[in-house]
Amino acid sequence: MRRLTSTLLACAAAGGILTAAGPAVAAVPAGNAPSCVAVWQTKGTVTKTGYARNDCGRRLRLKIKWARGTDGSCRTVDRGRTISSKVGRGPRTFDGADLC
């Protein structure tokens, strides 16, 4: 019985370690742009930049959304083109892209 308990504890501990070390899941940006608009961000030492690429079949008016501050400006984005907006690193988070 003692061996079984030790084995179960070891398995539970290993499972907890594997769970804790698993890949981080990124939050899905919350903008209201259609799903054919690809959004992502890059982070530098001092700034971070949000991007939105229009993969839709038509021209769109888009803006980059940032939490806790001013969003990027509204711009007309042709099919296949990308817009970006840069902010300082800090408490602001990338929220995707919105139609405008």
Side-chain angles (χ1 to χ4, degrees):
M1 181 69 169
R2 183 176 185 172
R3 186 177 208 180
L4 177 61
T5 303
S6 297
T7 303
L8 289 174
L9 288 174
C11 289
I17 291 169
L18 290 175
T19 301
V25 177
V28 176
N32 71 7
S35 61
C36 55
V37 174
V39 295
W40 70 97
Q41 73 169 325
T42 58
K43 294 181 182 179
T45 306
V46 178
T47 62
K48 51 187 156 187
T49 306
Y51 299 90
R53 183 183 63 239
N54 180 2
D55 291 334
C56 303
R58 61 188 167 89
R59 178 183 290 175
L60 297 173
R61 297 249 326 136
L62 298 170
K63 68 178 178 178
I64 302 294
K65 286 191 51 131
W66 295 101
R68 299 187 266 311
T70 306
D71 293 335
S73 59
C74 277
R75 293 190 263 172
T76 300
V77 187
D78 289 325
R79 181 178 171 199
R81 304 294 287 181
T82 301
I83 61 168
S84 64
S85 173
K86 187 179 287 195
V87 298
R89 281 191 71 151
R92 301 195 59 194
T93 55
F94 177 63
D95 280 347
D98 266 355
L99 292 172
C100 47

